[in-house]
Amino acid sequence: MFATSQADPVIRELFLTHSSIRTVLNTLAGIGTHPVTEPNLDPTNESFCQKIATKRAAMAIGHQYISFVLACSNNPIETACHALRCRLLEVLLRNCVFPSENRLHKSRWSDYDIRIFEQLGGTLIYERVVRIASISMQYIDSQRLYVHAMYDPTLWGSLLTFKEILSQRWRILSTLTPCTRPEYERTCGGPGCTSASIRLQQCAGCQTTKYCSKSCQRAAWSTVHRKHCSILKAGIGM
């Protein structure tokens, strides 16, 4: 049904509306927790190899679904934040692929986890995502969960790249004060209003456009912001 949903927009919307990222990630966390040391995989043990193959196939489907939701959601910023709150980074690390598993199957099982890291990296231009991702990374560091990724060179490289982007964005955000933020963040979005203040209140929907008063907010909503709000909220044109 998931494969069908990629071609049928109606089924796709049902997936996005009714499926639970939390449920998928909890399932992946349960089947993907690795021991501290790499297991000894015996290629002659067909039953054991089949068990590993089944588990890896389930992980690949779960990763594919998460990547699909991040790519197709009408609200990618909120989706990324929700996935991070549901321990997405932790799950990706716990689902690492051991070198022995790659040797057993002569290739890496799936690259959807790498694609997810790339998708998350693209959302780090948004302050909300940066703050939530930073909290997740602090937990991962405190629990030394990154040790899991060290067994998987491909995943390890993606993690280091993600951490570097996150670190750069956090350094930029930490230097911004209300007075040093870009001018557009200190300008009222009301039609014809030229007020510039550090006490502007932002729109609760897009959390981007700011206003100096309720009257300016109502005026903007009745003219242009009604259409722009959902676009800004989805991260298009920001």
Side-chain angles (χ1 to χ4, degrees):
M1 184 175 179
F2 174 76
T4 307
S5 73
Q6 299 186 40
D8 191 326
V10 176
I11 298 180
R12 186 195 72 182
E13 290 302 320
L14 288 175
F15 257 92
L16 296 181
T17 303
H18 299 291
S19 295
S20 170
I21 291 179
R22 184 184 300 275
T23 300
V24 173
L25 289 176
N26 285 343
T27 303
L28 290 175
I31 66 176
T33 301
H34 276 304
V36 177
T37 58
E38 181 177 358
N40 182 22
L41 301 182
D42 181 6
T44 62
N45 189 336
E46 295 184 4
S47 176
F48 182 70
C49 291
Q50 182 60 42
K51 180 180 178 180
I52 294 295
T54 301
K55 184 175 75 170
R56 280 293 161 196
M59 289 182 184
I61 293 174
H63 292 162
Q64 184 181 11
Y65 175 71
I66 297 299
S67 176
F68 171 75
V69 172
L70 289 172
C72 298
S73 172
N74 290 329
N75 191 344
I77 304 172
E78 186 60 38
T79 300
C81 291
H82 175 61
L84 288 169
R85 292 191 191 100
C86 294
R87 305 186 302 161
L88 173 58
L89 294 180
E90 177 186 342
V91 169
L92 291 177
L93 298 184
R94 291 187 182 277
N95 287 177
C96 72
V97 181
F98 284 113
S100 55
E101 294 177 278
N102 288 332
R103 290 192 297 270
L104 184 64
H105 290 269
K106 300 180 181 180
S107 64
R108 196 171 188 276
W109 280 89
S110 170
D111 287 328
Y112 281 105
D113 52 347
I114 307 304
R115 184 180 302 178
I116 291 172
F117 266 112
E118 294 173 351
Q119 291 172 295
L120 288 176
T123 64
L124 291 179
I125 60 174
Y126 304 107
E127 183 173 347
R128 290 173 59 203
V129 182
V130 171
R131 295 189 181 281
I132 297 174
S134 296
I135 295 173
S136 297
M137 195 58 67
Q138 289 172 9
Y139 174 77
I140 288 171
D141 289 341
S142 68
Q143 300 297 314
R144 294 179 57 84
L145 296 178
Y146 55 81
V147 173
H148 290 74
M150 296 176 67
Y151 291 104
D152 184 348
T154 305
L155 183 63
W156 179 246
S158 296
L159 175 63
L160 293 180
T161 300
F162 180 82
K163 288 185 68 174
E164 178 60 25
I165 297 173
L166 179 61
S167 177
Q168 292 175 358
R169 284 292 297 149
W170 185 255
R171 285 197 298 268
I172 294 174
L173 288 175
S174 64
T175 62
L176 294 178
T177 65
C179 292
T180 60
R181 287 180 176 271
E183 182 178 352
Y184 73 86
E185 293 192 7
R186 296 184 285 117
T187 303
C188 178
C193 183
T194 58
S195 174
S197 170
I198 62 173
R199 298 182 180 278
L200 300 177
Q201 298 296 314
Q202 66 183 12
C203 170
C206 65
Q207 298 191 13
T208 301
T209 307
K210 296 178 173 62
Y211 303 99
C212 65
S213 64
K214 286 289 185 180
S215 59
C216 278
Q217 183 179 17
R218 285 192 292 267
W221 184 259
S222 63
T223 54
V224 295
H225 195 62
R226 182 190 298 271
K227 297 179 180 179
H228 293 172
C229 188
S230 59
I231 298 176
L232 292 172
K233 191 174 181 180
I236 301 174
M238 295 174 63

